[in-house]
Amino acid sequence: MSNTQENFSTNNHQYDHTTDREMEVELASPWNRISAYIINSLLLTLAALIGMILSLIFVKFVLRSESKDIVVLSLIICISISLLIYAIFQFIQMSKTGQSFGKRLMGIKVIGIDGQNPGFVGTVLLREGVFNIIAEIISVTFVAIFVHLFNFPEIATELLFAYLLPFICLIMLFRKSTNQRTLQDYLARTIVIKAEK
């Protein structure tokens, strides 16, 4: 077994060092993972849309104001609250079960390479929070380098680096030799499998 695969061999068995036994796991298909991502993105958009509608209702019928500043402030507050509620529910689900709403609908979940639920730290902080912070730092750094040193157009460079890491992760989803682990999985020491029914 190679170091990059850690506790997983290519035949989808998992070795649990705490109990000295092998456990059978079935990797989530790349298409299920992509579908779960799309579902989560749509739900996030829906949460923002609900916040926007509530804001407009609040301004029109409760405050009865047409002031641009009040409308903008109301939009910011209501959309932020709506997204925060959505994020809290997602964080709770990911922490408890290793499943976001999209993963639950697609019948897949995140587990640690030791076979355990990675909890809040593994699924939320590392896989989502730290990974996105690192991705943003890399993106901003490379945009600055390419724009200022090489005179690349700023918008083209921003688009390139905004989609570079997601593209790399998409390619990694189809690599069976690495158990279809993406950059987030390596960072958090996780793997995505089919959930038991």
Side-chain angles (χ1 to χ4, degrees), residues 1 37 47 123 134 157 160 179:
M1 199 177 324
Y37 178 81
T123 58
I134 291 171
T157 309
L160 171 68
N179 290 318

Side-chain angles (χ1 to χ4, degrees), residues 128-153:
E128 302 302 325
V130 172
F131 176 77
N132 286 320
I133 290 169
I134 291 171
E136 189 62 29
I137 290 170
I138 290 171
S139 179
V140 168
T141 303
F142 278 102
V143 166
I145 290 170
F146 275 70
V147 168
H148 296 294
L149 293 181
F150 302 116
N151 279 341
F152 276 40

Side-chain angles (χ1 to χ4, degrees), residues 151-166:
N151 279 341
F152 276 40
E154 187 169 350
I155 188 71
T157 309
E158 285 177 6
L159 285 173
L160 171 68
F161 287 106
Y163 293 105
L164 184 61
L165 283 180

Side-chain angles (χ1 to χ4, degrees), residues 61-75:
F61 297 107
V62 177
L63 296 179
R64 297 178 186 212
S65 173
E66 293 187 16
S67 166
K68 186 178 177 183
D69 293 339
I70 291 177
V71 170
V72 170
L73 183 61
S74 175
L75 275 172

Side-chain angles (χ1 to χ4, degrees), residues 1-8 14-18 33 109-128 130-131 172 178-193:
M1 199 177 324
S2 73
N3 287 339
T4 58
Q5 292 174 322
E6 305 199 21
N7 291 337
F8 292 92
Q14 174 186 7
Y15 189 75
D16 183 355
H17 292 289
T18 58
R33 290 183 71 175
K109 72 177 185 175
V110 176
I111 63 169
I113 58 171
D114 60 358
Q116 303 299 312
N117 180 352
F120 181 79
V121 171
T123 58
V124 176
L125 285 183
L126 291 175
R127 282 187 104 246
E128 302 302 325
V130 172
F131 176 77
M172 293 175 81
T178 57
N179 290 318
Q180 300 165 331
R181 292 174 74 194
T182 61
L183 296 172
Q184 301 96 305
D185 291 316
Y186 282 103
L187 177 65
R189 298 175 47 88
T190 58
I191 195 163
V192 182
I193 63 168

Side-chain angles (χ1 to χ4, degrees), residues 65-124:
S65 173
E66 293 187 16
S67 166
K68 186 178 177 183
D69 293 339
I70 291 177
V71 170
V72 170
L73 183 61
S74 175
L75 275 172
I76 291 171
I77 291 171
C78 288
I79 291 173
S80 297
I81 290 171
S82 181
L83 292 177
L84 181 64
I85 291 169
Y86 171 79
I88 288 170
F89 280 121
Q90 284 282 60
F91 293 166
I92 290 170
Q93 286 302 309
M94 285 295 291
S95 299
K96 285 184 167 185
T97 65
Q99 294 178 300
S100 62
F101 293 125
K103 284 181 176 61
R104 183 177 296 271
L105 288 173
M106 297 311 301
I108 61 178
K109 72 177 185 175
V110 176
I111 63 169
I113 58 171
D114 60 358
Q116 303 299 312
N117 180 352
F120 181 79
V121 171
T123 58
V124 176

